[in-house]
Amino acid sequence: MRNKRSWIGPCLGGVLLIGVGAWGLRAADTELRNALDRVRPELEMSLSRPLGHPVSIGPYEGLRPWGVSLGPSKILPTASDRSSVSLDGVTVSLDPLASLRQWQPVVQLKLRGLRADLQRNADGSFWKPGRTDGSPSLPKVELRYALEKPAQIKFDSFDQPLVVESRGSVQLAEASFSTTSALRWRGQAGRIRLEGSGRWDRPTFSVRTRIERLKLQPLIALARPDPGLNVDGQVNADLRLRWVSDQLNCRGGLQLQGLQVQSLAPDAAAAIPIRSGDIRLGCRDEQLRLQPTVLRRDDMTLTAAGKVDLNRSFDLKLAVRRRGSDDALDLSIDGPWDDPRWRLAGQFNPAKTTGVPGPIRLRGELQTPWGASDQAQVQVRNLELQGPGLQLALTGELGQTLAIESRELQVAPQFWQALPILSTTLGRAAPLLGRLDLSGPIDSPALRLDLSQSQNPLVDRWSLQAGWSQQDS
């Protein structure tokens, strides 16, 4: 009897503890539910502001070990941005051991059933973020996220979604992140693997990407949709990129196989495709090298090769040739990273189509001081056209504002003698001398042309000063 009675006390104590524990859990569960309901409006508003979209946080679904579970949540579309995101649920929990090791809270987010429907906006973007100015400083908390199942991201221009597997962490106070992800188009071969880290408060990141047999067409369509253009080919790559303090470093290589670009226009001439063999880019330390590459379209051939010393200089050469003719264009790009020089030389013969004698030779030197201004501009150091009876030399600047003028403009009778109407009106005794100016905003430039001829069969001698601008119609 004593042995039986000796068990009664512990059993009653255990039952009492379980009852107290269950009551405590129910009380904690109720308190957490009420607390979430109280802070939900403010929390949704604080998330909506930087995202630029209304946020709806799902209902409370109960306690989990060291955390809570929330039900379906949404990032809703707006009148000016139709993109949206939905979650079947999320589990938010505290990692106590990691929190002790790092001496800061480490919160784990397990995302269930993530789906995104991204609609392209009028400006070409898929998402318009909100305002972040004036936001309070972020707490010293690390968020670790993981997708329990691959996310499905649907783009309005594709039938098949992008399937994304991802996990990573975000240090809120330090404005830093790290991620490991894998991406693929559902129903297609090819995959992108990413391992990256960086900061969003300044341009700093480090990324390793592996691309395996990825089709080009979806990537091109995402970057710049053009339903009248078909792009075939696939990409393989193993690249490491690092951007720190405005300095870019890389290592690895990229291979583009079976490139073919073809217009779907009904015009037969426009539908002739551009094809190439393998295009290989290699990168080591701070040098990007393009192996000799040939692109072909009908009777035209483009050959390109060279290297780029990242953050320092260019040394690239391109050559265009037409089979069965002397038409040619050579272009070289060299010089400093932020102020490269473009030199071109070539010739073409317009006699077959226009009757103008040839060949017409082109020679020029341009410069693009990208680092000198926020606005892109091209400085025309010298641009010359020379041919039988033709001398034209231009100089100036191209950008948001044009300032181009001729240093020389002379057209001799030899240039127009094969055109009967010009031979009759201009004669064969004296050349045309003149000046050409192009100035003003690039979207509404003003043109000025001065011409004169010292001897003419119809009016003896004449001069012309003419101008045109969009403002004057």
Side-chain angles (χ1 to χ4, degrees):
M1 293 295 293
R2 290 181 179 179
N3 290 336
K4 291 182 179 180
R5 290 176 180 176
S6 65
W7 284 98
I8 294 176
C11 288
L12 289 175
V15 171
L16 181 61
L17 286 175
I18 291 173
V20 171
W23 177 85
L25 286 175
R26 284 198 299 271
D29 185 77
T30 301
E31 184 59 33
L32 281 172
R33 184 187 303 274
N34 294 335
L36 178 61
D37 290 341
R38 287 194 300 270
V39 303
R40 186 191 306 274
E42 183 179 352
L43 184 58
E44 288 177 341
M45 184 174 295
S46 65
L47 293 173
S48 300
R49 190 177 298 112
L51 289 173
H53 290 244
V55 173
S56 173
I57 297 176
Y60 176 78
E61 291 189 339
L63 287 170
R64 297 293 183 271
W66 295 99
V68 298
S69 177
L70 303 177
S73 304
K74 295 181 180 180
I75 303 176
L76 302 169
T78 68
S80 61
D81 188 347
R82 296 174 298 152
S83 295
S84 61
V85 179
S86 65
L87 274 171
D88 289 343
V90 56
T91 300
V92 184
S93 60
L94 180 70
D95 187 331
L97 295 179
S99 299
L100 288 173
R101 285 196 302 267
Q102 300 191 25
W103 207 243
Q104 68 173 358
V106 176
V107 178
Q108 294 181 325
L109 303 176
K110 292 186 177 180
L111 309 176
R112 304 188 300 274
L114 175 62
R115 293 178 298 276
D117 183 9
L118 303 183
Q119 303 290 321
R120 193 182 297 275
N121 298 305
D123 61 359
S125 67
F126 286 102
W127 194 275
K128 294 181 179 179
R131 295 177 301 175
T132 57
D133 50 355
S135 298
S137 58
L138 296 174
K140 189 176 181 181
V141 175
E142 179 181 353
L143 300 179
R144 295 181 178 177
Y145 74 89
L147 301 177
E148 288 192 352
K149 294 182 179 180
Q152 306 283 323
I153 301 178
K154 178 71 170 61
F155 296 92
D156 61 358
S157 51
F158 297 103
D159 294 331
Q160 299 297 331
L162 184 66
V163 180
V164 179
E165 303 170 55
S166 183
R167 63 175 56 246
S169 65
V170 178
Q171 295 276 359
L172 294 178
E174 298 177 7
S176 64
F177 68 92
S178 64
T179 183
T180 300
S181 303
L183 304 88
R184 60 182 174 84
W185 295 105
R186 192 173 71 187
Q188 293 188 14
R191 178 184 292 264
I192 301 177
R193 300 180 185 273
L194 290 173
E195 298 175 12
S197 61
R199 302 180 65 95
W200 65 80
D201 58 345
R202 55 179 180 267
T204 302
F205 67 83
S206 177
V207 176
R208 179 174 184 180
T209 177
R210 292 182 177 178
I211 304 176
E212 303 166 356
R213 298 180 298 139
L214 190 69
K215 297 292 184 181
L216 269 178
Q217 178 67 29
L219 297 179
I220 299 297
L222 276 182
R224 190 170 184 176
D226 185 350
L229 194 66
N230 183 65
V231 181
D232 285 330
Q234 66 180 25
V235 182
N236 293 282
D238 188 349
L239 282 171
R240 296 183 182 183
L241 302 175
R242 190 165 184 262
W243 179 275
V244 179
S245 301
D246 296 331
Q247 299 292 308
L248 180 63
N249 297 299
C250 66
R251 179 177 291 272
L254 179 148
Q255 182 183 29
L256 179 58
Q257 297 176 316
L259 175 65
Q260 178 172 298
V261 182
Q262 185 172 21
S263 171
L264 300 180
D267 182 6
I272 298 175
I274 298 174
R275 295 188 176 92
S276 80
D278 287 358
I279 299 176
R280 297 177 181 271
L281 280 171
C283 190
R284 186 170 184 179
D285 297 329
E286 297 183 356
Q287 188 176 94
L288 182 67
R289 185 176 292 274
L290 173 65
Q291 300 299 324
T293 299
V294 179
L295 298 174
R296 293 183 174 86
R297 183 182 186 273
D298 197 17
D299 59 350
M300 300 289 291
T301 300
L302 168 66
T303 304
K307 64 179 182 179
V308 177
D309 289 327
L310 298 177
N311 317 305
R312 290 199 298 271
S313 64
F314 291 89
D315 185 9
L316 298 171
K317 290 180 172 57
L318 296 89
V320 180
R321 298 290 184 269
R322 184 189 296 275
R323 186 174 63 248
S325 76
D326 295 330
D327 292 353
L329 177 65
D330 294 311
L331 173 65
S332 66
I333 310 170
D334 58 21
W337 176 261
D338 59 352
D339 191 12
R341 176 179 59 179
W342 305 61
R343 290 179 293 178
L344 50 93
Q347 67 176 30
F348 61 96
N349 196 336
K352 295 180 181 179
T353 56
T354 65
V356 173
I360 305 296
R361 291 183 171 83
L362 172 68
R363 185 177 62 182
E365 182 175 319
L366 316 175
Q367 209 143 357
T368 49
W370 293 327
S373 172
D374 293 337
Q375 295 184 353
Q377 61 173 292
V378 178
Q379 295 180 353
V380 183
R381 302 297 186 191
N382 183 44
L383 185 61
E384 297 180 358
L385 281 175
Q386 298 179 344
L390 174 65
Q391 295 283 342
L392 174 61
L394 302 173
T395 187
E397 292 185 358
L398 296 171
Q400 293 298 318
T401 302
L402 303 180
I404 299 292
E405 62 180 13
S406 61
R407 291 189 296 105
E408 180 180 15
L409 174 54
Q410 178 173 318
V411 186
Q414 183 182 0
F415 186 78
W416 66 71
Q417 64 184 357
L419 304 175
I421 188 171
L422 292 182
S423 296
T424 302
T425 56
L426 298 177
R428 300 186 178 185
L432 296 178
L433 303 178
R435 179 181 177 85
L436 175 67
D437 289 331
L438 192 61
S439 61
I442 192 170
D443 56 349
S444 58
L447 173 68
R448 179 177 177 83
L449 177 64
D450 297 344
L451 286 176
S452 65
Q453 188 178 28
S454 61
Q455 186 176 352
N456 183 273
L458 301 180
V459 295
D460 191 22
R461 58 186 302 164
W462 60 273
S463 64
L464 169 71
Q465 294 181 343
W468 178 90
S469 69
Q470 186 177 21
Q471 182 178 359
D472 297 333
S473 300

